[in-house]
Amino acid sequence: MKKLLTLSLLVVSASGYTAQCRVDINNEVRLDGQSLEIHQTTGDSAVVDEDNNLFIKGEQVELDSDQKAALEGYREKMNAYIPQAKQLASDGLDLANAIIDDVAASLDAPDAFDNVKASVKTFFEDVESRYYKDGDFILPAESFESMTQSWTDDFAKAQEIFNKEFLASAFEALSKKMQEEDGLNLTALSESMTELSAKVEQRINEHSQGIEQKAEELCDSLDDMAAQEDNVLKKIPELKDYRVFTI
């Protein structure tokens, strides 16, 4: 159950998506829903504005209609990534909170897990803050190995939330309920914790398939963007040093 619940917490992590998708991000990408910016570690940048004008190192690059059309599709595809990522994150948070509320209701203790919900919210906000700045979505330049390590670190933090807070709160709520009913019985308490674990696992299994499907679709969108990027680089060789994806 620990693994399943912590996985439901991690869907907000962009590094988690890309780690699953096995993709290297070669240059940092900044998206605002309209324009596209690609930043090198040297500080040089390529910018595509909402009218599909291209600027490299601040200088506009003249494009023909075919090049502009290719750039427009690339820019729009990249910006379409934002609502997909946000929705997947929202679905993960909703699932985590729904499971916590369900457990609380089953124990007749609606406030027993408020501390857990607060910690989960803080966890999501912390991970999300790495990828949003001043309203822009930022996909940092990272290797597959680096992203995998980030995902591993996030998993460990989520597992800590579960171990330290969720289980402790569940144990306390169950103990209190037993004391109010027939008195504390350690054997019955252990059995109740096992039943609770099974209930949580069932809830996650019921809903995780949909989230996993959306994560796969997000990976597919990265594959599509990589293919589209290849086409753009062929048509606009000035962008050869601004490749984003290696899959």
Short mmCIF file of all heavy atoms in Angstrom, two decimals, residues 108-173:
data_model
loop_
_atom_site.label_atom_id
_atom_site.label_comp_id
_atom_site.label_asym_id
_atom_site.label_seq_id
_atom_site.Cartn_x
_atom_site.Cartn_y
_atom_site.Cartn_z
N ASP A 108 -15.14 7.35 11.06
CA ASP A 108 -15.96 8.37 11.75
C ASP A 108 -15.08 9.44 12.39
O ASP A 108 -15.34 9.90 13.50
CB ASP A 108 -16.86 7.72 12.82
CG ASP A 108 -17.85 6.74 12.24
OD1 ASP A 108 -18.38 7.03 11.14
OD2 ASP A 108 -18.09 5.68 12.85
N ALA A 109 -14.03 9.80 11.68
CA ALA A 109 -13.08 10.78 12.19
C ALA A 109 -12.73 11.76 11.07
O ALA A 109 -11.64 11.70 10.50
CB ALA A 109 -11.83 10.09 12.71
N PRO A 110 -13.66 12.65 10.72
CA PRO A 110 -13.48 13.52 9.54
C PRO A 110 -12.25 14.43 9.62
O PRO A 110 -11.73 14.84 8.57
CB PRO A 110 -14.77 14.34 9.51
CG PRO A 110 -15.32 14.26 10.90
CD PRO A 110 -14.94 12.91 11.41
N ASP A 111 -11.79 14.75 10.82
CA ASP A 111 -10.66 15.67 10.95
C ASP A 111 -9.35 14.96 11.29
O ASP A 111 -8.33 15.63 11.48
CB ASP A 111 -10.96 16.71 12.05
CG ASP A 111 -12.23 17.49 11.77
OD1 ASP A 111 -12.49 17.77 10.57
OD2 ASP A 111 -12.97 17.81 12.72
N ALA A 112 -9.37 13.64 11.33
CA ALA A 112 -8.21 12.90 11.81
C ALA A 112 -7.00 13.03 10.89
O ALA A 112 -5.85 12.89 11.34
CB ALA A 112 -8.56 11.42 11.97
N PHE A 113 -7.24 13.32 9.62
CA PHE A 113 -6.14 13.33 8.66
C PHE A 113 -5.88 14.72 8.08
O PHE A 113 -5.27 14.85 7.02
CB PHE A 113 -6.41 12.34 7.53
CG PHE A 113 -6.50 10.92 7.99
CD1 PHE A 113 -7.72 10.36 8.32
CD2 PHE A 113 -5.36 10.15 8.13
CE1 PHE A 113 -7.81 9.05 8.75
CE2 PHE A 113 -5.43 8.84 8.56
CZ PHE A 113 -6.66 8.28 8.88
N ASP A 114 -6.34 15.75 8.77
CA ASP A 114 -6.12 17.11 8.28
C ASP A 114 -4.63 17.42 8.15
O ASP A 114 -4.20 18.11 7.22
CB ASP A 114 -6.78 18.13 9.21
CG ASP A 114 -8.29 18.18 9.04
OD1 ASP A 114 -8.80 17.51 8.11
OD2 ASP A 114 -8.96 18.87 9.83
N ASN A 115 -3.84 16.91 9.10
CA ASN A 115 -2.39 17.14 9.02
C ASN A 115 -1.78 16.45 7.80
O ASN A 115 -0.86 16.98 7.16
CB ASN A 115 -1.71 16.64 10.30
CG ASN A 115 -1.88 15.14 10.50
OD1 ASN A 115 -2.96 14.59 10.27
ND2 ASN A 115 -0.82 14.46 10.94
N VAL A 116 -2.31 15.28 7.45
CA VAL A 116 -1.81 14.55 6.29
C VAL A 116 -2.16 15.31 5.02
O VAL A 116 -1.33 15.48 4.12
CB VAL A 116 -2.39 13.13 6.23
CG1 VAL A 116 -1.81 12.37 5.04
CG2 VAL A 116 -2.10 12.38 7.52
N LYS A 117 -3.41 15.80 4.93
CA LYS A 117 -3.82 16.54 3.74
C LYS A 117 -2.99 17.82 3.57
O LYS A 117 -2.62 18.18 2.45
CB LYS A 117 -5.31 16.89 3.83
CG LYS A 117 -6.21 15.67 3.77
CD LYS A 117 -7.68 16.04 3.86
CE LYS A 117 -8.19 16.66 2.59
NZ LYS A 117 -9.66 16.84 2.61
N ALA A 118 -2.68 18.45 4.69
CA ALA A 118 -1.85 19.66 4.63
C ALA A 118 -0.44 19.32 4.13
O ALA A 118 0.14 20.05 3.32
CB ALA A 118 -1.77 20.32 6.00
N SER A 119 0.10 18.20 4.60
CA SER A 119 1.43 17.78 4.17
C SER A 119 1.44 17.40 2.69
O SER A 119 2.40 17.69 1.96
CB SER A 119 1.93 16.61 5.02
OG SER A 119 2.11 17.00 6.36
N VAL A 120 0.38 16.71 2.25
CA VAL A 120 0.28 16.34 0.83
C VAL A 120 0.21 17.59 -0.04
O VAL A 120 0.88 17.68 -1.08
CB VAL A 120 -0.96 15.45 0.61
CG1 VAL A 120 -1.24 15.28 -0.89
CG2 VAL A 120 -0.76 14.09 1.25
N LYS A 121 -0.58 18.56 0.39
CA LYS A 121 -0.69 19.80 -0.37
C LYS A 121 0.65 20.51 -0.46
O LYS A 121 1.05 20.99 -1.54
CB LYS A 121 -1.73 20.72 0.29
CG LYS A 121 -1.93 22.04 -0.46
CD LYS A 121 -2.94 22.93 0.24
CE LYS A 121 -3.10 24.25 -0.50
NZ LYS A 121 -4.05 25.16 0.19
N THR A 122 1.36 20.57 0.67
CA THR A 122 2.68 21.20 0.68
C THR A 122 3.65 20.47 -0.23
O THR A 122 4.45 21.08 -0.95
CB THR A 122 3.24 21.24 2.11
OG1 THR A 122 2.36 22.01 2.94
CG2 THR A 122 4.62 21.87 2.14
N PHE A 123 3.57 19.14 -0.21
CA PHE A 123 4.43 18.33 -1.07
C PHE A 123 4.19 18.64 -2.54
O PHE A 123 5.12 18.86 -3.32
CB PHE A 123 4.17 16.85 -0.80
CG PHE A 123 4.85 15.91 -1.77
CD1 PHE A 123 6.18 15.58 -1.60
CD2 PHE A 123 4.16 15.38 -2.84
CE1 PHE A 123 6.81 14.73 -2.49
CE2 PHE A 123 4.78 14.53 -3.74
CZ PHE A 123 6.12 14.20 -3.57
N PHE A 124 2.92 18.69 -2.95
CA PHE A 124 2.58 19.00 -4.33
C PHE A 124 3.08 20.39 -4.70
O PHE A 124 3.64 20.59 -5.78
CB PHE A 124 1.07 18.92 -4.52
CG PHE A 124 0.58 17.57 -4.94
CD1 PHE A 124 0.43 16.55 -4.02
CD2 PHE A 124 0.26 17.30 -6.26
CE1 PHE A 124 -0.02 15.29 -4.40
CE2 PHE A 124 -0.20 16.05 -6.66
CZ PHE A 124 -0.33 15.05 -5.72
N GLU A 125 2.85 21.35 -3.83
CA GLU A 125 3.24 22.73 -4.13
C GLU A 125 4.75 22.85 -4.25
O GLU A 125 5.26 23.61 -5.09
CB GLU A 125 2.72 23.66 -3.03
CG GLU A 125 1.20 23.83 -3.05
CD GLU A 125 0.69 24.62 -1.87
OE1 GLU A 125 1.44 24.81 -0.88
OE2 GLU A 125 -0.49 25.04 -1.91
N ASP A 126 5.48 22.11 -3.41
CA ASP A 126 6.94 22.15 -3.46
C ASP A 126 7.46 21.62 -4.79
O ASP A 126 8.33 22.22 -5.43
CB ASP A 126 7.53 21.34 -2.30
CG ASP A 126 9.05 21.26 -2.38
OD1 ASP A 126 9.69 22.32 -2.30
OD2 ASP A 126 9.58 20.14 -2.50
N VAL A 127 6.92 20.48 -5.23
CA VAL A 127 7.36 19.90 -6.50
C VAL A 127 6.95 20.80 -7.66
O VAL A 127 7.74 21.08 -8.57
CB VAL A 127 6.77 18.49 -6.68
CG1 VAL A 127 7.13 17.93 -8.06
CG2 VAL A 127 7.28 17.55 -5.59
N GLU A 128 5.72 21.29 -7.61
CA GLU A 128 5.21 22.12 -8.71
C GLU A 128 6.00 23.42 -8.84
O GLU A 128 6.20 23.93 -9.94
CB GLU A 128 3.73 22.43 -8.48
CG GLU A 128 3.06 23.06 -9.68
CD GLU A 128 1.57 23.23 -9.48
OE1 GLU A 128 1.18 23.77 -8.41
OE2 GLU A 128 0.79 22.84 -10.35
N SER A 129 6.49 23.96 -7.70
CA SER A 129 7.20 25.24 -7.72
C SER A 129 8.49 25.16 -8.53
O SER A 129 9.02 26.18 -8.98
CB SER A 129 7.52 25.70 -6.30
OG SER A 129 8.48 24.84 -5.68
N ARG A 130 9.02 23.96 -8.72
CA ARG A 130 10.24 23.81 -9.52
C ARG A 130 9.97 24.04 -11.00
O ARG A 130 10.90 24.28 -11.77
CB ARG A 130 10.82 22.41 -9.36
CG ARG A 130 11.16 22.04 -7.94
CD ARG A 130 11.66 20.61 -7.91
NE ARG A 130 11.26 19.95 -6.68
CZ ARG A 130 11.23 18.64 -6.53
NH1 ARG A 130 11.56 17.87 -7.54
NH2 ARG A 130 10.85 18.09 -5.39
N TYR A 131 8.71 23.94 -11.41
CA TYR A 131 8.39 23.97 -12.83
C TYR A 131 7.52 25.16 -13.23
O TYR A 131 7.14 25.27 -14.39
CB TYR A 131 7.69 22.65 -13.22
CG TYR A 131 8.55 21.46 -12.87
CD1 TYR A 131 8.34 20.75 -11.69
CD2 TYR A 131 9.61 21.08 -13.68
CE1 TYR A 131 9.16 19.68 -11.34
CE2 TYR A 131 10.43 20.02 -13.34
CZ TYR A 131 10.20 19.32 -12.18
OH TYR A 131 11.01 18.28 -11.83
N TYR A 132 7.23 26.04 -12.29
CA TYR A 132 6.47 27.24 -12.61
C TYR A 132 7.16 28.46 -12.00
O TYR A 132 7.56 28.45 -10.84
CB TYR A 132 5.04 27.14 -12.06
CG TYR A 132 4.18 26.15 -12.82
CD1 TYR A 132 4.10 24.83 -12.42
CD2 TYR A 132 3.47 26.55 -13.96
CE1 TYR A 132 3.33 23.92 -13.14
CE2 TYR A 132 2.69 25.64 -14.66
CZ TYR A 132 2.63 24.33 -14.25
OH TYR A 132 1.88 23.43 -14.95
N LYS A 133 7.30 29.50 -12.81
CA LYS A 133 7.90 30.75 -12.34
C LYS A 133 7.22 31.91 -13.04
O LYS A 133 7.19 31.97 -14.28
CB LYS A 133 9.40 30.77 -12.62
CG LYS A 133 10.10 32.02 -12.08
CD LYS A 133 11.60 31.97 -12.33
CE LYS A 133 12.28 33.21 -11.77
NZ LYS A 133 13.75 33.17 -12.01
N ASP A 134 6.65 32.80 -12.24
CA ASP A 134 5.96 33.98 -12.78
C ASP A 134 4.89 33.60 -13.81
O ASP A 134 4.70 34.28 -14.82
CB ASP A 134 6.96 34.95 -13.41
CG ASP A 134 7.99 35.47 -12.41
OD1 ASP A 134 7.63 35.61 -11.23
OD2 ASP A 134 9.14 35.70 -12.82
N GLY A 135 4.21 32.48 -13.56
CA GLY A 135 3.14 32.05 -14.44
C GLY A 135 3.59 31.22 -15.62
O GLY A 135 2.76 30.67 -16.35
N ASP A 136 4.90 31.11 -15.85
CA ASP A 136 5.42 30.32 -16.96
C ASP A 136 5.74 28.90 -16.52
O ASP A 136 6.19 28.68 -15.39
CB ASP A 136 6.70 30.95 -17.53
CG ASP A 136 6.44 32.27 -18.22
OD1 ASP A 136 5.26 32.60 -18.46
OD2 ASP A 136 7.42 32.99 -18.51
N PHE A 137 5.51 27.97 -17.41
CA PHE A 137 5.91 26.57 -17.16
C PHE A 137 7.34 26.41 -17.64
O PHE A 137 7.68 26.78 -18.76
CB PHE A 137 4.99 25.62 -17.92
CG PHE A 137 5.35 24.17 -17.76
CD1 PHE A 137 4.97 23.46 -16.64
CD2 PHE A 137 6.10 23.52 -18.73
CE1 PHE A 137 5.31 22.12 -16.49
CE2 PHE A 137 6.43 22.18 -18.60
CZ PHE A 137 6.04 21.49 -17.48
N ILE A 138 8.20 25.86 -16.78
CA ILE A 138 9.61 25.72 -17.10
C ILE A 138 9.99 24.25 -17.05
O ILE A 138 9.81 23.58 -16.03
CB ILE A 138 10.49 26.53 -16.13
CG1 ILE A 138 10.14 28.02 -16.23
CG2 ILE A 138 11.97 26.30 -16.43
CD1 ILE A 138 10.89 28.89 -15.23
N LEU A 139 10.51 23.76 -18.16
CA LEU A 139 11.01 22.39 -18.23
C LEU A 139 12.54 22.50 -18.26
O LEU A 139 13.12 22.88 -19.27
CB LEU A 139 10.49 21.69 -19.48
CG LEU A 139 10.65 20.17 -19.56
CD1 LEU A 139 9.92 19.49 -18.41
CD2 LEU A 139 10.14 19.67 -20.90
N PRO A 140 13.19 22.19 -17.14
CA PRO A 140 14.65 22.42 -17.06
C PRO A 140 15.43 21.42 -17.90
O PRO A 140 14.96 20.31 -18.18
CB PRO A 140 14.94 22.23 -15.57
CG PRO A 140 13.86 21.34 -15.08
CD PRO A 140 12.65 21.67 -15.88
N ALA A 141 16.62 21.82 -18.29
CA ALA A 141 17.52 20.92 -19.01
C ALA A 141 18.02 19.86 -18.04
O ALA A 141 18.67 20.18 -17.04
CB ALA A 141 18.69 21.71 -19.61
N GLU A 142 17.67 18.61 -18.31
CA GLU A 142 18.08 17.51 -17.44
C GLU A 142 18.29 16.25 -18.27
O GLU A 142 17.58 16.01 -19.24
CB GLU A 142 17.00 17.20 -16.39
CG GLU A 142 16.89 18.20 -15.26
CD GLU A 142 15.93 17.72 -14.20
OE1 GLU A 142 14.72 17.67 -14.48
OE2 GLU A 142 16.38 17.38 -13.10
N SER A 143 19.24 15.45 -17.85
CA SER A 143 19.43 14.14 -18.47
C SER A 143 18.41 13.18 -17.91
O SER A 143 17.80 13.42 -16.86
CB SER A 143 20.83 13.61 -18.20
OG SER A 143 20.99 13.33 -16.82
N PHE A 144 18.22 12.07 -18.60
CA PHE A 144 17.31 11.04 -18.10
C PHE A 144 17.74 10.56 -16.72
O PHE A 144 16.92 10.39 -15.82
CB PHE A 144 17.28 9.87 -19.09
CG PHE A 144 16.58 8.65 -18.57
CD1 PHE A 144 15.20 8.63 -18.46
CD2 PHE A 144 17.29 7.52 -18.17
CE1 PHE A 144 14.54 7.51 -17.96
CE2 PHE A 144 16.65 6.41 -17.68
CZ PHE A 144 15.27 6.39 -17.58
N GLU A 145 19.05 10.40 -16.52
CA GLU A 145 19.55 9.92 -15.23
C GLU A 145 19.25 10.92 -14.12
O GLU A 145 18.86 10.55 -13.01
CB GLU A 145 21.06 9.66 -15.31
CG GLU A 145 21.46 8.46 -16.14
CD GLU A 145 21.40 8.74 -17.64
OE1 GLU A 145 21.25 9.92 -18.02
OE2 GLU A 145 21.48 7.78 -18.42
N SER A 146 19.43 12.21 -14.41
CA SER A 146 19.17 13.25 -13.42
C SER A 146 17.68 13.31 -13.06
O SER A 146 17.32 13.44 -11.89
CB SER A 146 19.63 14.61 -13.95
OG SER A 146 19.27 15.66 -13.07
N MET A 147 16.83 13.19 -14.08
CA MET A 147 15.39 13.21 -13.83
C MET A 147 14.95 12.00 -13.01
O MET A 147 14.09 12.09 -12.16
CB MET A 147 14.63 13.29 -15.15
CG MET A 147 14.73 14.66 -15.80
SD MET A 147 13.74 14.79 -17.32
CE MET A 147 14.77 13.85 -18.46
N THR A 148 15.56 10.86 -13.29
CA THR A 148 15.24 9.66 -12.54
C THR A 148 15.62 9.83 -11.07
O THR A 148 14.88 9.42 -10.17
CB THR A 148 15.98 8.44 -13.13
OG1 THR A 148 15.56 8.26 -14.48
CG2 THR A 148 15.66 7.17 -12.34
N GLN A 149 16.76 10.48 -10.82
CA GLN A 149 17.17 10.72 -9.44
C GLN A 149 16.21 11.67 -8.75
O GLN A 149 15.86 11.49 -7.57
CB GLN A 149 18.59 11.30 -9.40
CG GLN A 149 19.14 11.50 -7.99
CD GLN A 149 19.18 10.22 -7.20
OE1 GLN A 149 19.72 9.22 -7.65
NE2 GLN A 149 18.59 10.23 -6.00
N SER A 150 15.75 12.70 -9.47
CA SER A 150 14.77 13.64 -8.90
C SER A 150 13.49 12.89 -8.53
O SER A 150 12.90 13.13 -7.47
CB SER A 150 14.44 14.76 -9.90
OG SER A 150 15.56 15.56 -10.14
N TRP A 151 13.05 12.00 -9.43
CA TRP A 151 11.85 11.22 -9.16
C TRP A 151 12.05 10.34 -7.93
O TRP A 151 11.16 10.22 -7.09
CB TRP A 151 11.53 10.36 -10.38
CG TRP A 151 10.25 9.60 -10.26
CD1 TRP A 151 9.01 10.04 -10.60
CD2 TRP A 151 10.07 8.28 -9.75
NE1 TRP A 151 8.07 9.07 -10.34
CE2 TRP A 151 8.69 7.98 -9.82
CE3 TRP A 151 10.93 7.32 -9.24
CZ2 TRP A 151 8.17 6.76 -9.40
CZ3 TRP A 151 10.42 6.10 -8.82
CH2 TRP A 151 9.05 5.84 -8.90
N THR A 152 13.23 9.73 -7.81
CA THR A 152 13.53 8.88 -6.66
C THR A 152 13.49 9.68 -5.37
O THR A 152 12.96 9.23 -4.35
CB THR A 152 14.91 8.23 -6.83
OG1 THR A 152 14.92 7.45 -8.03
CG2 THR A 152 15.24 7.32 -5.66
N ASP A 153 14.05 10.89 -5.40
CA ASP A 153 14.04 11.75 -4.21
C ASP A 153 12.62 12.14 -3.83
O ASP A 153 12.26 12.15 -2.64
CB ASP A 153 14.87 13.02 -4.47
CG ASP A 153 16.36 12.72 -4.62
OD1 ASP A 153 16.79 11.62 -4.20
OD2 ASP A 153 17.07 13.58 -5.16
N ASP A 154 11.79 12.46 -4.84
CA ASP A 154 10.40 12.81 -4.56
C ASP A 154 9.64 11.62 -3.98
O ASP A 154 8.81 11.77 -3.08
CB ASP A 154 9.69 13.28 -5.85
CG ASP A 154 10.16 14.65 -6.29
OD1 ASP A 154 10.68 15.40 -5.45
OD2 ASP A 154 10.00 14.97 -7.48
N PHE A 155 9.93 10.44 -4.51
CA PHE A 155 9.28 9.23 -4.00
C PHE A 155 9.61 9.04 -2.52
O PHE A 155 8.74 8.70 -1.71
CB PHE A 155 9.74 8.02 -4.81
CG PHE A 155 9.02 6.74 -4.45
CD1 PHE A 155 7.87 6.37 -5.13
CD2 PHE A 155 9.48 5.92 -3.43
CE1 PHE A 155 7.19 5.20 -4.80
CE2 PHE A 155 8.82 4.75 -3.11
CZ PHE A 155 7.68 4.38 -3.79
N ALA A 156 10.86 9.27 -2.15
CA ALA A 156 11.29 9.11 -0.76
C ALA A 156 10.56 10.10 0.15
O ALA A 156 10.14 9.76 1.26
CB ALA A 156 12.80 9.30 -0.65
N LYS A 157 10.38 11.33 -0.34
CA LYS A 157 9.67 12.33 0.46
C LYS A 157 8.21 11.95 0.64
O LYS A 157 7.64 12.10 1.73
CB LYS A 157 9.77 13.70 -0.21
CG LYS A 157 11.16 14.31 -0.18
CD LYS A 157 11.19 15.63 -0.92
CE LYS A 157 12.59 16.21 -0.96
NZ LYS A 157 12.65 17.48 -1.74
N ALA A 158 7.59 11.47 -0.42
CA ALA A 158 6.19 11.06 -0.34
C ALA A 158 6.04 9.87 0.60
O ALA A 158 5.09 9.78 1.37
CB ALA A 158 5.66 10.70 -1.73
N GLN A 159 6.98 8.95 0.55
CA GLN A 159 6.94 7.79 1.43
C GLN A 159 7.08 8.21 2.89
O GLN A 159 6.45 7.63 3.78
CB GLN A 159 8.05 6.81 1.05
CG GLN A 159 7.90 5.43 1.68
CD GLN A 159 8.87 4.44 1.08
OE1 GLN A 159 10.02 4.76 0.82
NE2 GLN A 159 8.41 3.23 0.85
N GLU A 160 7.87 9.24 3.12
CA GLU A 160 8.03 9.75 4.48
C GLU A 160 6.73 10.32 5.01
O GLU A 160 6.37 10.13 6.18
CB GLU A 160 9.13 10.81 4.51
CG GLU A 160 9.45 11.32 5.90
CD GLU A 160 10.58 12.33 5.92
OE1 GLU A 160 11.08 12.68 4.83
OE2 GLU A 160 10.96 12.77 7.00
N ILE A 161 5.99 11.03 4.14
CA ILE A 161 4.69 11.55 4.54
C ILE A 161 3.79 10.40 4.97
O ILE A 161 3.11 10.47 6.00
CB ILE A 161 4.03 12.34 3.38
CG1 ILE A 161 4.80 13.63 3.11
CG2 ILE A 161 2.57 12.65 3.70
CD1 ILE A 161 4.29 14.39 1.89
N PHE A 162 3.80 9.34 4.15
CA PHE A 162 2.95 8.19 4.47
C PHE A 162 3.36 7.56 5.79
O PHE A 162 2.53 7.32 6.67
CB PHE A 162 3.02 7.17 3.34
CG PHE A 162 2.13 5.98 3.56
CD1 PHE A 162 0.83 5.99 3.11
CD2 PHE A 162 2.58 4.88 4.25
CE1 PHE A 162 -0.01 4.90 3.33
CE2 PHE A 162 1.75 3.78 4.48
CZ PHE A 162 0.46 3.79 4.01
N ASN A 163 4.64 7.26 5.92
CA ASN A 163 5.13 6.54 7.10
C ASN A 163 4.92 7.33 8.39
O ASN A 163 4.49 6.79 9.41
CB ASN A 163 6.61 6.21 6.94
CG ASN A 163 6.86 5.15 5.90
OD1 ASN A 163 5.96 4.38 5.57
ND2 ASN A 163 8.07 5.10 5.36
N LYS A 164 5.23 8.62 8.34
CA LYS A 164 5.24 9.42 9.57
C LYS A 164 3.86 9.96 9.94
O LYS A 164 3.57 10.15 11.11
CB LYS A 164 6.22 10.58 9.44
CG LYS A 164 7.69 10.15 9.52
CD LYS A 164 8.60 11.36 9.61
CE LYS A 164 10.04 10.93 9.82
NZ LYS A 164 10.95 12.10 9.92
N GLU A 165 3.06 10.25 8.94
CA GLU A 165 1.81 10.96 9.23
C GLU A 165 0.56 10.14 8.96
O GLU A 165 -0.32 10.04 9.81
CB GLU A 165 1.77 12.28 8.46
CG GLU A 165 2.93 13.21 8.86
CD GLU A 165 2.79 14.59 8.26
OE1 GLU A 165 1.66 15.09 8.16
OE2 GLU A 165 3.83 15.17 7.89
N PHE A 166 0.45 9.56 7.76
CA PHE A 166 -0.76 8.84 7.44
C PHE A 166 -0.96 7.63 8.35
O PHE A 166 -2.02 7.46 8.96
CB PHE A 166 -0.75 8.39 5.97
CG PHE A 166 -2.04 7.75 5.53
CD1 PHE A 166 -3.10 8.53 5.08
CD2 PHE A 166 -2.21 6.37 5.59
CE1 PHE A 166 -4.29 7.94 4.69
CE2 PHE A 166 -3.39 5.78 5.20
CZ PHE A 166 -4.44 6.57 4.74
N LEU A 167 0.07 6.79 8.47
CA LEU A 167 -0.07 5.60 9.30
C LEU A 167 -0.28 5.96 10.77
O LEU A 167 -1.08 5.33 11.47
CB LEU A 167 1.18 4.71 9.16
CG LEU A 167 1.26 3.89 7.86
CD1 LEU A 167 2.56 3.10 7.83
CD2 LEU A 167 0.08 2.95 7.73
N ALA A 168 0.44 6.98 11.24
CA ALA A 168 0.30 7.41 12.63
C ALA A 168 -1.11 7.92 12.90
O ALA A 168 -1.73 7.59 13.93
CB ALA A 168 1.32 8.49 12.96
N SER A 169 -1.65 8.72 11.97
CA SER A 169 -3.00 9.25 12.15
C SER A 169 -4.04 8.14 12.08
O SER A 169 -5.02 8.14 12.84
CB SER A 169 -3.30 10.30 11.08
OG SER A 169 -2.45 11.42 11.22
N ALA A 170 -3.83 7.18 11.18
CA ALA A 170 -4.77 6.06 11.07
C ALA A 170 -4.76 5.22 12.34
O ALA A 170 -5.82 4.82 12.85
CB ALA A 170 -4.40 5.18 9.86
N PHE A 171 -3.58 4.96 12.86
CA PHE A 171 -3.45 4.17 14.09
C PHE A 171 -4.14 4.88 15.26
O PHE A 171 -4.89 4.27 16.03
CB PHE A 171 -1.97 3.95 14.41
CG PHE A 171 -1.73 3.05 15.58
CD1 PHE A 171 -1.66 1.67 15.41
CD2 PHE A 171 -1.57 3.57 16.86
CE1 PHE A 171 -1.43 0.83 16.50
CE2 PHE A 171 -1.34 2.75 17.95
CZ PHE A 171 -1.28 1.37 17.76
N GLU A 172 -3.93 6.18 15.35
CA GLU A 172 -4.52 6.97 16.44
C GLU A 172 -6.05 6.99 16.33
O GLU A 172 -6.76 6.82 17.33
CB GLU A 172 -3.97 8.39 16.42
CG GLU A 172 -4.50 9.26 17.55
CD GLU A 172 -3.92 10.66 17.52
OE1 GLU A 172 -2.96 10.90 16.75
OE2 GLU A 172 -4.43 11.52 18.26
N ALA A 173 -6.56 7.18 15.10
CA ALA A 173 -8.01 7.24 14.91
C ALA A 173 -8.66 5.89 15.21
O ALA A 173 -9.72 5.82 15.84
CB ALA A 173 -8.32 7.68 13.48
#
